[in-house]
C-alpha cells in the first residue's frame, strides 16, 4: 500500500527547560513546538510517505513556526486554519528533577481548540490510505470533537484505514469522560495504539496481553500496546507478536510514543508485515528518545539502519 496519511489535532509552542530544577528567572529554556499528531505526520513524511496535518493555529509567531516547520518537513498543511483572533497554545515543560518532567498547558479556549468540521475535507480523507486520530483532539473542545467524528465518518465511508492512539491527557478531561468518548472511537477504528494505563481506561484487565485481547474485542483488527522500555506487543487477527525496545541511551522520553506510531503507520503504508511495522516502530521510538525534543530526532528512511541491532525487513 503506498499512500497518504491524514491526521488532525493541535500543535502548540513549547518552552522546555534544558536543565533539571524548578522554574526560576533565568532558567535555561529551549523554544520548540509539540503536538502528538504533528509529530506523527513529520515521522511518516521523513519515512518517505505523503502526510497531511489539519489543525488551527493563531496568527502569531508560534503558529508561523508550526506551519513553516511542517511545510519544511513536506507535511501538507493546506487545510489548516489560521485564527485571526486567538493566540496559539503553549506548554511549559519543566525538568523538575533529572528524570521527572512536569507539563503545564496554556491552551484551553485558544486557537487550537477552534478546530472544527470546517477544516475536515472528506475528499482529502478519501484520497488517503490512513486517517490517524488521537484521544487528545476530542478533548480540546466540542468543535474539535465534532471534527474528529466528521473525519472518522469520511474515512469509514471511503474505506480508509482508521488509526487511533488513545493518548489520554489527564489535564484535559476526567477519566470517565475520556473512557466514554474513546470507547466510541475504538469501536470504529482499525488500528488502536495505547499504553497500559490508557488501555486500562477501557479494559481494566491485568496483563498487557489480556488488555490487547479485550481492546480487540471492541472492534479493531490491530491492537498495539506501547510498553516503553519493555517494548511493544501487537495483536493482529488473533496473533500476538512481541517487539523488544532497542537498547539506546535515553535523553528525552517525550514524543517516543508518537515516533513509535509514525514508524508503525509508515510500515502500514510500506505494505509491510506486522513484524516489519513493529520493528520500524521500535526503531523510530529509539531515535526519538535519544534526542531532545518531540520530533527533531525522528529518523529519515535512510537513517533507520544507523541503530545497531535493528533489522528492518518486510
Ligand atoms: O499533550 C499534548 O497534547 C501533546 O500533543 C504534546 C506532546 O508533544 C505530546 O504529549 C507527546 O505525545
Amino acid at each position: 500500500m503506498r499512500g497518504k496519511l491524514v491526521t488532525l489535532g493541535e500543535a502548540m509552542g513549547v518552552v522546555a527547560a534544558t536543565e533539571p530544577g524548578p522554574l526560576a528567572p533565568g532558567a535555561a529554556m529551549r523554544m520548540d513546538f509539540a503536538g502528538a499528531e504533528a509529530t506523527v505526520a513529520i515521522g511518516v513524511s521523513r519515512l518517505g510517505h505523503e502526510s497531511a496535518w489539519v489543525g488551527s493555529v493563531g496568527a502569531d509567531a508560534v503558529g508561523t513556526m508550526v506551519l513553516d516547520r511542517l511545510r519544511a518537513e513536506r507535511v501538507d498543511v493546506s487545510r489548516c486554519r489560521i485564527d485571526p483572533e486567538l493566540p496559539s497554545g503553549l506548554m511549559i515543560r519543566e525538568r523538575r528533577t533529572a528524570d521527572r518532567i512536569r507539563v503545564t498547558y496554556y491552551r484551553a479556549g485558544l486557537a487550537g481548540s477552534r478546530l472544527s468540521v470546517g477544516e475536515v475535507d472528506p475528499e482529502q480523507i478519501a484520497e488517503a490510505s490512513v486517517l490517524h486520530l488521537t484521544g487528545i483532539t476530542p478533548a480540546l473542545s466540542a468543535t474539535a470533537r465534532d471534527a474528529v467524528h466528521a473525519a472518522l465518518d469520511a474515512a469509514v465511508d471511503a474505506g480508509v484505514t482508521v488509526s487511533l492512539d488513545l493518548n489520554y491527557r489527564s489535564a484535559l478531561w476526567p477519566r470517565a469522560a475520556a473512557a466514554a468518548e474513546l470507547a466510541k472511537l475504538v469501536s470504529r477504528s482499525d488500528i488502536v495504539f495505547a499504553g497500559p494505563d490508557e488501555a486500562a481506561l477501557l479494559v481494566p484487565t491485568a496483563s498487557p496481553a489480556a488488555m490487547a485481547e479485550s481492546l480487540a474485542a471492541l472492534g479493531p483488527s490491530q491492537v498495539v500496546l506501547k510498553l516503553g522500555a519493555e517494548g511493544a506487543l501487537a495483536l493482529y487477527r488473533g496473533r500476538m507478536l512481541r517487539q523488544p525496545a532497542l537498547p539506546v541511551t535515553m535523553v528525552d522520553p517525550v514524543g517516543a510514543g508518537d515516533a513509535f506510531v509514525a514508524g508503525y503507520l509508515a510500515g502500514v503504508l510500506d505494505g509491510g508485515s506486522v513484524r516489519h511495522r513493529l520493528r520500524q516502530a521500535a526503531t523510530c521510538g529509539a531515535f526519538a528518545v535519544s534526542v531532545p525534543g518531540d520530533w527533531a530526532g525522528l529518523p529519515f528512511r535512510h537513517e533507520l539502519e544507523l541503530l545497531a541491532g535493528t533489522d528492518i525487513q518486510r
Side-chain angles (χ1 to χ4, degrees), residues 116-203:
S116 71
V117 290
E119 284 69 66
V120 175
D121 177 4
E123 251 177 60
Q124 181 191 42
I125 292 170
E127 282 166 11
S129 301
V130 175
L131 171 72
H132 176 62
L133 303 171
T134 76
I136 300 171
T137 319
L140 299 177
S141 65
T143 62
R145 189 179 62 233
D146 290 347
V148 166
H149 284 278
L152 183 53
D153 289 344
V156 170
D157 287 351
V160 171
T161 298
V162 177
S163 157
L164 171 72
D165 189 341
L166 296 194
N167 258 339
Y168 175 61
R169 296 288 179 270
S170 58
L172 295 182
W173 51 354
R175 288 182 76 83
E181 178 61 30
L182 292 172
K184 285 188 228 161
L185 298 178
V186 166
S187 68
R188 301 184 71 203
S189 299
D190 302 291
I191 308 174
V192 170
F193 298 93
D197 291 352
E198 296 166 334
L201 281 169
L202 300 177
V203 289

Side-chain angles (χ1 to χ4, degrees), residues 2-314:
R2 281 208 76 79
K4 180 169 168 176
L5 173 134
V6 175
T7 184
L8 65 162
E10 179 176 18
M12 293 154 288
V14 177
V15 182
T18 55
E19 304 291 338
L23 205 60
M29 309 295 279
R30 201 170 55 89
M31 189 68 212
D32 200 351
F33 73 89
E37 306 79 11
T39 298
V40 171
I42 293 172
V44 165
S45 174
R46 288 192 180 184
L47 291 174
H49 294 283
E50 285 181 60
S51 69
W53 178 78
V54 181
S56 171
V57 295
D60 52 19
V62 169
T64 305
M65 170 179 68
V66 167
L67 294 183
D68 281 357
R69 186 68 227 175
L70 289 172
R71 284 190 197 102
E73 296 285 345
R74 298 177 194 203
V75 174
D76 175 2
V77 290
S78 59
R79 294 295 308 176
C80 288
R81 172 173 185 280
I82 299 177
D83 194 293
E85 291 158 7
L86 295 170
S88 306
L90 203 60
M91 172 200 294
I92 292 183
R93 210 176 260 163
E94 290 167 84
R95 215 167 247 277
R96 187 60 189 81
T97 67
D99 52 16
R100 282 283 176 278
I101 292 168
R102 185 162 63 185
V103 165
T104 313
Y105 292 130
Y106 303 85
R107 68 197 293 190
L110 301 187
S113 63
R114 286 258 179 118
L115 177 67
S116 71
V117 290
E119 284 69 66
V120 175
D121 177 4
E123 251 177 60
Q124 181 191 42
I125 292 170
E127 282 166 11
S129 301
V130 175
L131 171 72
H132 176 62
L133 303 171
T134 76
I136 300 171
T137 319
L140 299 177
S141 65
T143 62
R145 189 179 62 233
D146 290 347
V148 166
H149 284 278
L152 183 53
D153 289 344
V156 170
D157 287 351
V160 171
T161 298
V162 177
S163 157
L164 171 72
D165 189 341
L166 296 194
N167 258 339
Y168 175 61
R169 296 288 179 270
S170 58
L172 295 182
W173 51 354
R175 288 182 76 83
E181 178 61 30
L182 292 172
K184 285 188 228 161
L185 298 178
V186 166
S187 68
R188 301 184 71 203
S189 299
D190 302 291
I191 308 174
V192 170
F193 298 93
D197 291 352
E198 296 166 334
L201 281 169
L202 300 177
V203 289
T205 33
S207 74
M211 279 178 165
E213 304 264 10
S214 305
L215 277 176
L218 301 178
S221 60
Q222 291 174 66
V223 174
V224 186
L225 285 188
K226 298 183 270 184
L227 306 172
E230 305 295 310
L233 180 153
L235 180 64
Y236 181 55
R237 296 194 178 141
R239 204 172 145 228
M240 194 84 75
L241 287 95
R242 287 174 192 275
Q243 172 67 46
L246 302 189
V248 289
T249 304
M250 162 98 79
V251 173
D252 179 1
V254 185
D258 305 323
F260 178 95
V261 169
Y264 192 94
L265 294 178
V268 171
L269 296 170
D270 293 341
S273 64
V274 177
R275 175 54 67 203
H276 163 73
R277 297 170 198 178
L278 279 172
R279 283 197 185 115
Q280 190 158 274
T283 306
C284 290
F287 268 95
V289 299
S290 314
V291 174
D294 289 29
W295 54 269
L298 288 164
F300 290 87
R301 185 165 290 277
H302 66 272
E303 295 177 314
L304 288 172
E305 64 197 25
L306 270 178
L307 286 186
T310 54
D311 178 17
I312 304 292
Q313 294 169 352
R314 295 283 152 88

